[in-house]
Amino acid sequence: EAGVAQSPRYKIIEKRQSVAFWCNPISGHATLYWYQQILGQGPKLLIQFQNNGVVDDSQLPKDRFSAERLKGVDSTLKIQPAKLEDSAVYLCASSLQASKNTEAFFGQGTRLTVV
Amino acid sequence: QQQVKQSPQSLIVQKGGISIINCAYENTAFDYFPWYQQFPGKGPALLIAIRPDVSEKKEGRFTISFNKSAKQFSLHIMDSQPGDSATYFCAASNFNKFYFGSGTKLNVKP
């Protein structure tokens, strides 16, 4: 079974530039998450999708971050404009369903450095 | 507000020793408590998980102890090996919304 795929693996941008990350979840997984992991900290949920609808985006800085999950499969996370404090690893995860707790599978993440 | 508090931040254990990592939570609505293991450059991977209707779960060298009344749970790694050196995260979940602890960096010395 293929895992959660993310690209790119690494990205370096200047502050005020824009960047986009892509995630392809495990086939058949209805729930998709984007997490932000700052160095030395645990992952922090940015947004959770159930199919192509948003379940929770309460911690997404909506003035600069946006995410979409077209057709309930792939997802993109965009930052525009980026700030220095956005430097982090952005993790995508997916799980089979949201009606009861099931394992979340993580991708390898995209390491973003904002200079 | 941090939903899940984890300690210690770092841990050094000799090979063959027992590693113990502790977590505490406040929200009694949480009903799933997984532990994730993360190696450098990799995403977290599920190690072991427990639901609050049991007090202990064991899988190989890994055991979760769960104290519902104290709202605490812990991970015990028996016979710790150098290959166990990684960062460990506890988490708590309700309706598949996961809250992670701050992580424990474990170093098992040969």
Side-chain angles (χ1 to χ4, degrees):
Chain A
E1 177 183 79
V4 176
Q6 289 188 247
S7 67
R9 286 296 314 278
Y10 306 93
K11 191 74 177 179
I12 301 174
I13 62 171
E14 295 183 351
K15 60 183 179 182
R16 291 187 289 275
Q17 285 187 325
S18 63
V19 64
F21 312 128
W22 174 82
C23 173
N24 186 9
I26 293 173
S27 178
H29 280 195
T31 306
L32 184 146
Y33 313 81
W34 283 102
Y35 284 88
Q36 180 192 59
Q37 186 175 22
I38 293 173
L39 186 64
Q41 298 182 18
K44 184 186 87 171
L45 179 67
L46 292 175
I47 188 167
Q48 178 182 349
F49 291 94
Q50 173 71 7
N51 296 310
N52 60 350
V54 175
V55 174
D56 186 343
D57 64 356
S58 58
Q59 298 197 82
L60 186 73
K62 298 181 186 64
D63 58 334
R64 298 184 301 105
F65 286 64
S66 64
E68 61 181 7
R69 189 182 185 196
L70 298 176
K71 300 179 182 178
V73 182
D74 293 8
S75 177
T76 56
L77 176 70
K78 297 179 181 178
I79 307 175
Q80 182 179 11
K83 292 185 175 182
L84 295 177
E85 59 260 36
D86 298 331
S87 294
V89 174
Y90 291 84
L91 294 164
C92 178
S94 68
S95 64
L96 192 56
Q97 57 184 324
S99 59
K100 58 185 235 182
N101 288 309
T102 55
E103 178 181 355
F105 294 83
F106 284 81
Q108 294 195 75
T110 296
R111 180 177 295 278
L112 173 68
T113 302
V114 183
V115 297
Chain B
Q1 181 187 8
Q2 193 172 4
Q3 297 271 2
V4 181
K5 296 182 179 179
Q6 182 172 348
S7 64
Q9 189 174 6
S10 63
L11 184 61
I12 300 174
V13 174
Q14 292 294 323
K15 178 183 176 182
I18 302 173
S19 304
I20 301 174
I21 305 170
N22 300 299
C23 284
Y25 64 97
E26 286 298 323
N27 188 346
T28 55
F30 289 141
D31 60 1
Y32 180 64
F33 300 87
W35 283 89
Y36 281 82
Q37 181 187 55
Q38 186 176 29
F39 292 103
K42 302 291 186 183
L46 180 68
L47 189 64
I48 185 172
I50 197 168
R51 299 189 190 277
D53 52 346
V54 297
S55 60
E56 185 176 281
K57 183 174 181 180
K58 183 176 181 179
E59 290 183 0
R61 296 184 295 109
F62 301 93
T63 300
I64 299 179
S65 297
F66 187 83
N67 186 330
K68 189 174 182 178
S69 61
K71 292 186 284 187
Q72 295 174 348
F73 58 112
S74 61
L75 175 70
H76 292 63
I77 306 174
M78 312 299 288
D79 188 25
S80 299
Q81 298 297 311
D84 297 331
S85 296
T87 299
Y88 292 81
F89 294 97
C90 61
S93 173
N94 184 30
F95 291 107
N96 264 10
K97 186 174 176 180
F98 292 84
Y99 296 90
F100 286 83
S102 54
T104 297
K105 189 170 184 179
L106 172 65
N107 184 7
V108 182
K109 296 236 182 244

